[in-house]
Amino acid sequence: MTSSTDRNSPVIWDVLIIGAGLAGLSAANDLLQAGLKVLVVDKGRGLGGRLAGRRIGDATFDHGAQFMTARDSRFKASIAEWIDAGVAEEWYSSYPGHANGHPRYRGVPTMTAVAKYLATDINVLRTTRVDSITQESAQDNQLWSAALDNGDTISAKALLITSPVPQTIELLTSGNIAVPADKQARLDRIDYEACIAVMAVLDGPTAIPAPGASAFEEGPIGWISDNLQKGVSKIPAVTIHGSGDFSAEHYEDDKMQTGQRLIDAAAPYLGNAKVTEYQVHGWRYSKPSVVDPEACMLLSESTDLPPLALAGDAFNGPRFEGAVLSGWAAAKSLIAALA
């Protein structure tokens, strides 16, 4: 079970992690295994960041990340562990008419199950935003001080930030944290695609062929999946992701009207089924379109800053696996910096 901090928690944490997504939770586990005291803070109610699920009546949706693939040997071992724990299973390895590719794995019952499993032994403070970060002195040590939106302050020897890079830059600016010019240039190059996600409840089965998903290179839809076929929902329900271009063009438009446009575009895949209810969610930083070539960034390297690292899928590729590998790399960097 995840737990929140209380008044008896340590005054100074070894590592404060901002963000309970895949990178943050993966890093936290490695840091805990190294014997460090770790606190994770996240502004959201749930865990996993873009591993997001939602219920509408009897329908259940994966409306963020849809699956994971594995190429790295350690990550393959992690997926095997998750399958043994009952929080993941193989979904499919090819679309109809396509050659088999890397197996796609899904969370069970939803993608958020993996995040909950990763957070089992971690102190997580949820629905809490870090408003600003500054340096503070404690005896002979330089520490990080994080001001929270609930009025509390957290002190830590090291800091890991895993939020989308534009938000990270804002946070660094709030504390007047000087970023080396070469690293600032790398951060400025990173860019993201937005995504408008539609969750639609249907009155009957879709016409989407097995395994219940299709990706598109052109048009307003980037992805559509059948949550009933996927095993996520007990009743017919689809997730529709707008393409990067469509989502960028219409991100500020009325969400329900934009969602209806995507539903209309998806009509051939819905067959005779009608939408009885739908909701729309906007992912402003859905996935990086330009990533940094390194697995993480040790921002404090060759500076007077206390240990400070950045991680996330913007540092190792826009996949589920990339975020996990980035978290592991950041943990390794911070363990070395604190030694």
Side-chain angles (χ1 to χ4, degrees):
M1 297 291 292
T2 59
S3 61
S4 296
T5 55
D6 57 41
R7 298 303 177 184
N8 297 319
S9 297
V11 174
I12 299 176
W13 296 85
D14 289 320
V15 184
L16 170 62
I17 299 176
I18 299 174
L22 288 169
L25 295 175
S26 299
N29 277 293
D30 277 12
L31 292 165
L32 286 175
Q33 290 177 14
L36 299 174
K37 293 178 296 195
V38 181
L39 174 65
V40 180
V41 178
D42 194 282
K43 64 183 180 181
R45 288 177 296 175
L47 298 165
R50 291 186 292 274
L51 295 189
R54 185 176 297 190
R55 293 185 64 88
I56 304 176
D58 293 328
T60 306
F61 302 81
D62 277 332
H63 72 280
Q66 295 290 306
F67 59 81
M68 49 192 159
T69 58
R71 295 163 176 80
D72 175 83
S73 58
R74 183 184 173 189
F75 188 65
K76 289 179 179 178
S78 293
I79 288 185
E81 176 187 337
W82 300 338
I83 292 174
D84 288 343
V87 298
E89 67 179 20
E90 184 174 339
W91 181 15
Y92 69 93
S93 58
S94 70
Y95 293 119
H98 291 73
N100 283 352
H102 293 281
R104 268 70 169 173
Y105 301 92
R106 72 176 192 89
V108 176
T110 66
M111 292 294 285
T112 56
V114 177
K116 293 174 182 176
Y117 181 79
L118 286 173
T120 300
D121 298 317
I122 300 171
N123 284 299
V124 182
L125 189 59
R126 292 187 264 184
T127 64
T128 305
R129 183 188 300 272
V130 176
D131 283 338
S132 63
I133 55 172
T134 54
Q135 291 177 252
E136 65 171 278
S137 297
Q139 297 177 349
D140 295 330
N141 296 320
Q142 289 291 316
L143 303 175
W144 288 109
S145 178
L148 309 182
D149 64 355
N150 63 8
D152 290 343
T153 300
I154 302 293
S155 296
K157 298 175 184 176
L159 178 63
L160 171 59
I161 307 176
T162 67
S163 51
V165 168
Q167 295 176 349
T168 298
I169 291 174
E170 289 181 7
L171 191 59
L172 295 170
T173 302
S174 75
N176 295 315
I177 308 302
V179 177
D182 60 328
K183 291 183 172 63
Q184 184 65 57
R186 286 166 55 189
L187 294 177
D188 289 341
R189 281 194 293 269
I190 293 171
D191 201 7
Y192 290 81
E193 282 187 3
C195 177
I196 296 171
V198 179
M199 294 145 279
V201 184
L202 307 177
D203 64 2
T206 71
I208 302 172
S214 291
F216 305 90
E217 297 294 331
E218 298 178 349
I221 298 175
W223 168 271
I224 186 170
S225 62
D226 182 325
N227 290 282
L228 178 61
Q229 282 195 63
K230 190 177 182 180
V232 171
S233 182
K234 296 179 180 178
I235 66 172
V238 293
T239 298
I240 307 168
H241 282 173
S243 66
D245 288 344
F246 178 89
S247 297
E249 182 179 354
H250 298 287
Y251 195 84
E252 302 299 337
D253 294 351
D254 179 272
K255 286 288 189 288
M256 296 304 286
Q257 291 181 11
T258 301
Q260 186 62 56
R261 292 183 64 172
L262 289 171
I263 290 171
D264 293 344
Y269 301 91
L270 303 184
N272 295 322
K274 304 299 182 184
V275 174
T276 60
E277 185 178 359
Y278 70 97
Q279 296 179 9
V280 182
H281 179 83
W283 297 102
R284 186 174 293 277
Y285 304 110
S286 172
K287 66 178 181 180
S289 54
V290 179
V291 301
D292 189 81
E294 300 298 327
C296 68
M297 181 181 291
L298 187 61
L299 206 59
S300 56
E301 185 178 26
S302 303
T303 73
D304 294 330
L305 296 172
L308 168 60
L310 309 183
D313 57 5
F315 293 96
N316 214 38
R319 293 176 291 112
F320 186 121
E321 181 178 13
V324 173
L325 295 180
S326 180
W328 288 342
K332 183 177 181 179
S333 294
L334 290 176
I335 291 168
L338 289 167

